[in-house]
Structure formats: C-alpha cells, structure tokens
Amino acid sequence: MELEVQMEKTKLQKYEQKLLTIRKELLHELGYLEEAVLNHTTRESSGDLSAYSFHMADIGTDAMRRETAFLLASKEGRTLLDVNDALSRIQKKTYGKCTDCGKVINPKRLDAVPHAKLCIQCQSDEEKNQKQ
Ligand SMILES: [Zn+2]
C-alpha cells in the first residue's frame, strides 16, 4: 500500500527544512547572492515541480549546462545539486527512497545526510564500481 512507504508529512517537513538550510549555506559558500536566492524561492513558491530548480535554470539550456559544469567542479556544487534533487524528490513524494533500488533509506542515514539518494547498499556498490 502506498501509505506504508510514504514518509509522514511532519518528517518530510523536517528534512525539507534541513535541506533548505544546507542549500542556503552552500549557495552562500559558492558565492551566490542571498537576495537572488530569496527572490527565487518567493517567486516560485507556487508548488510546481520546478520550485527548487536552480535559480539560473530559466536563463536557458546553454547557461544551465555551464552552470551545472561549474557546480560539478566543486564539492559544494555537487552537494548543492544533490540537495536540489532531494528537494524535488520531496515534492514528488519519493523522498527517502533509494533512487536506484527503490528501497526505503535508513532514517539514521537521512538524519546524517538528508540529501542521500542511495541506500547504504547501493552507495557501497557504487563506490566499489568507481574503484574498479
Ligand atoms: Zn538502494
């Protein structure tokens, strides 16, 4: 049953708050203007799926690609992309489930890493693959 696998709303909100805090800190570290971020959130708070997409996203695909490349070049940027992904999973109600195998991610893991997208098993599989 759908309800069994869905996380409680209060828990989701708790993770959402955590993610938004992390996101704010990362944006700050990456040198983005607080103001731009705030405008972005207010402007797009209508609840559609793009609400948490990166604030440069509406400029166009090329700019977006450059932006993504820029973000992937730093640890903070990569985390930011993961945080954005996690926020969109909250909106799509798939948050808390492994994006690979679909199993529920251990809540302790989510408490430590709220933007985790893989369960511990898939994460360690991925790390093994990367070492090969
Ligand atoms: Zn998994």
Side-chain angles (χ1 to χ4, degrees), residues 112-127:
V113 190
H115 53 276
K117 60 183 172 207
L118 296 173
C119 66
I120 288 173
Q121 186 59 54
C122 292
Q123 180 75 50
S124 74
D125 285 353
E126 197 182 83
E127 276 160 21

Side-chain angles (χ1 to χ4, degrees), residues 3-131:
L3 276 173
E4 286 176 74
V5 285
Q6 246 181 47
M7 203 180 279
E8 290 164 49
K9 213 180 168 187
T10 46
K11 276 191 198 160
L12 267 185
Q13 280 167 344
K14 190 186 82 183
Y15 287 121
E16 187 178 28
Q17 278 314 310
K18 273 193 179 186
L19 286 163
L20 288 172
T21 308
I22 298 174
R23 186 176 187 266
K24 211 172 134 185
E25 284 165 8
L26 286 170
L27 285 168
H28 185 75
E29 274 172 50
L30 286 160
Y32 288 103
L33 292 174
E34 191 96 345
E35 219 174 309
V37 181
L38 284 176
N39 283 341
H40 174 71
T41 3
T42 340
R43 184 165 49 85
E44 287 194 312
S45 61
S46 49
D48 66 300
L49 286 180
S50 65
Y52 294 114
S53 64
F54 199 68
H55 71 97
M56 294 291 282
D58 45 6
I59 289 176
T61 336
D62 278 353
M64 216 173 117
R65 258 199 289 273
R66 274 197 299 273
E67 195 65 40
T68 309
F70 163 74
L71 289 173
L72 286 171
S74 69
K75 188 173 163 278
E76 286 82 9
R78 284 193 296 272
T79 311
L80 179 65
L81 291 172
D82 281 346
V83 169
N84 280 347
D85 275 358
L87 284 165
S88 77
R89 286 200 301 281
I90 285 184
Q91 294 212 322
K92 285 186 271 188
K93 311 259 191 298
T94 59
Y95 180 79
K97 277 185 265 179
C98 176
T99 56
D100 202 6
C101 70
K103 283 185 192 146
V104 173
I105 299 173
N106 189 326
K108 277 184 192 149
R109 175 163 162 74
L110 287 176
D111 282 338
V113 190
H115 53 276
K117 60 183 172 207
L118 296 173
C119 66
I120 288 173
Q121 186 59 54
C122 292
Q123 180 75 50
S124 74
D125 285 353
E126 197 182 83
E127 276 160 21
K128 267 183 239 158
N129 285 340
Q130 278 169 2
K131 273 173 204 158

